[in-house]
Amino acid sequence: PPIARRVAREVLRMAGVSEKDASARLVEAVLDLARGGTGRGRDLPAGIRATRRGDRIRLATASHDHG
């Protein structure tokens, strides 16, 4: 849904991903994490890792993602 895309894009921006890097493909990848099972993850621009944990998606810099 369009609202989910807007929320995902804004969260990416707040996490430090530039507007240029927050492409439709990247937004869809984050939404795919939201739809998938726990324990999945994806490396994002700006050294950020998105990880699905339970019903949440955690965005953290690689140096701060300790599980």
Side-chain angles (χ1 to χ4, degrees), residues 3-62:
I3 189 73
R5 287 181 189 86
R6 284 191 295 252
V7 169
R9 188 176 303 280
E10 180 63 15
V11 168
L12 288 167
R13 189 192 64 74
M14 291 171 59
V17 176
S18 72
E19 187 69 31
K20 181 186 91 168
D21 289 334
S23 65
R25 185 175 178 195
L26 182 59
V27 168
E28 286 302 318
V30 171
L31 293 176
D32 182 57
L33 282 177
R35 293 186 288 265
T38 191
R40 298 174 61 211
R42 179 174 174 98
D43 292 320
L44 306 176
I48 297 169
R49 175 97 178 141
T51 307
R52 171 77 187 259
R53 303 281 167 104
D55 64 349
R56 297 173 186 249
I57 295 184
R58 179 174 186 227
L59 299 177
T61 59

